[in-house]
Amino acid sequence: MWIFLNDRFVRKKDALISVFDHGFLYGDGVYETLRAYGGRIFRLRQHLARLSRSASLIGLDIPFVEQDFITVLREAMKRNDLSDAYLRITISRGEGNIGLDPRLCPYPTVVVISLPLQPYPVELFNTGVSLALVNVRRNLAAALPPMIKSLNFLNNILAKQEASRAGGFDGLMLNGEGHIAECTTSNIFFVKDGCVYTPSVACGILDGITRETVLSLAREQALPTEEGRYRPDALLEADECFLTNTTMEIMPVQDIDKRPIGKERPGPVTDRLRELFRANLPRFLE
Ligand code: PDD
């Protein structure tokens, strides 16, 4: 397996970084997860733009322009002979002495990992997944803006652990005000009386690229949509619920804390959106 490290492709065994890398010491860095279908990358520009935004929000200068990443991503898939791929770009602050000051790290560390995509089991898409409403709250946006897709994932990891203990596939986090925020690596939607609802970005969530794609597909079809602030009760009374992210696309939710959502799973609107997503996929690939 070939890994891109800073300025070249190296074998996995040689893809090593320093124990003084601030990504390792402090979780100081940013990343993106992308997905390729048949060698073509889903919403490539949007992912690279979000990477650049994350880096800029932490004052990290990326030594690459957009086209450099595109070249590396394509080369990574070619070298590893990948068609349906999981792609991850990680940029850490780089190596530096102990201390929080980013000026200790003159050169960021850039890593691109490309792996065969491990799709979620088909049964999950047929039955839907179980969520646990966790006690861990989504980071306060004023403390660590969720708009930064950072290497610092402990907030989400604590939520994931809590969900696993409760027997959930994933944990649903509320924000500091008790409104629904998002799951540990996905955005959440619910459907009530034909309207598609999702927490607004102002709830302190990552503005998922799949979320935005689903919203725009729904709007193109004149399906009613609403972004807002919702309490968990609204979700528990919903007809349908689903999650979105780059690797899972649209995943139906069966129950939350063992309370079933709706009667049919997946529900008709979720099914329709999944069909729309698949049918329109080619125009989102590059
Ligand atoms: N996660 N919310 C969080 C906290 C996420 O980490 C992600 C993405 C999303 C969905 O974003 P998108 O639709 O752009 O994938 C929402 C990726 C898959 C990850 O961490 O690997």
Side-chain angles (χ1 to χ4, degrees):
M1 183 200 301
W2 292 96
I3 308 280
F4 181 81
L5 179 60
N6 293 326
D7 55 358
R8 71 196 66 165
F9 280 92
V10 293
R11 292 287 186 182
K12 184 180 165 195
K13 66 172 176 38
D14 301 316
L16 305 172
I17 60 168
S18 164
V19 293
F20 287 94
D21 193 292
H22 281 210
F24 173 68
L25 289 176
Y26 305 116
D28 186 354
V30 295
Y31 81 101
E32 270 301 315
T33 298
L34 302 88
R35 172 175 177 170
Y37 298 78
R40 296 170 67 208
I41 302 173
F42 177 69
R43 309 224 82 174
L44 173 61
R45 309 283 162 168
Q46 286 83 351
H47 278 284
L48 294 178
R50 191 169 67 186
L51 181 69
S52 156
R53 182 190 71 194
S54 296
S56 133
L57 286 168
I58 67 162
L60 176 67
D61 284 333
I62 308 183
F64 284 45
V65 295
E66 190 182 79
Q67 191 53 47
D68 297 329
F69 281 118
I70 296 174
T71 306
V72 169
L73 288 166
R74 295 207 197 293
E75 173 73 16
M77 285 193 282
K78 207 164 133 197
R79 282 184 181 246
N80 290 321
D81 198 18
L82 298 173
S83 166
D84 291 336
Y86 164 96
L87 303 162
R88 178 174 158 131
I89 305 175
T90 306
I91 308 176
S92 79
R93 192 74 67 178
E95 185 178 354
N97 279 339
I98 296 287
L100 298 187
D101 192 337
R103 287 173 297 188
L104 294 165
C105 309
Y107 307 109
T109 303
V110 180
V111 176
V112 175
I113 295 172
S114 59
L115 300 168
L117 184 87
Q118 300 288 337
Y120 286 90
V122 179
E123 308 88 77
L124 289 186
F125 291 96
N126 295 333
T127 58
V129 296
S130 298
L131 296 184
L133 188 59
V134 294
N135 290 311
V136 172
R137 294 290 172 109
R138 189 72 178 103
N139 270 335
L140 199 63
L144 181 59
M147 304 287 273
I148 303 170
K149 198 157 169 49
S150 91
L151 298 184
N152 220 299
F153 237 61
L154 268 184
N155 180 210
N156 312 48
I157 291 166
L158 292 177
K160 183 81 179 177
Q161 285 177 316
E162 191 184 333
S164 301
R165 283 195 295 272
F169 164 84
D170 202 358
L172 171 60
M173 290 178 279
L174 305 181
N175 66 14
E177 284 144 22
H179 295 121
I180 301 162
E182 59 185 338
C183 288
T184 63
T185 56
S186 59
N187 293 113
I188 189 156
F189 286 72
F190 61 96
V191 181
K192 182 73 180 170
D193 298 329
C195 182
V196 180
Y197 297 88
T198 195
S200 65
V201 172
C203 291
I205 58 169
L206 181 75
D207 53 341
I209 290 164
T210 323
R211 171 189 179 279
E212 185 270 315
T213 306
V214 167
L215 279 174
S216 58
L217 286 172
R219 285 172 187 148
E220 277 173 27
Q221 297 295 313
L223 284 174
T225 61
E226 189 188 286
E227 295 171 72
R229 294 172 198 272
Y230 309 106
R231 301 259 169 209
D233 285 358
L235 187 54
L236 294 169
E237 287 159 14
D239 302 324
E240 303 176 34
C241 175
F242 61 87
L243 309 177
T244 61
N245 83 12
T246 299
T247 48
M248 64 172 60
E249 301 177 347
I250 299 175
M251 174 67 81
V253 172
Q254 183 178 53
D255 62 83
I256 300 178
D257 284 346
K258 315 251 168 7
R259 289 171 63 174
I261 305 295
K263 292 192 191 69
E264 287 173 68
R265 275 171 304 271
V269 178
T270 309
D271 261 348
R272 182 156 172 221
L273 289 168
R274 284 175 65 200
E275 279 163 26
L276 275 173
F277 188 90
R278 279 282 157 168
N280 284 277
L281 198 51
R283 67 178 160 112
F284 302 126
L285 303 182
E286 196 176 322

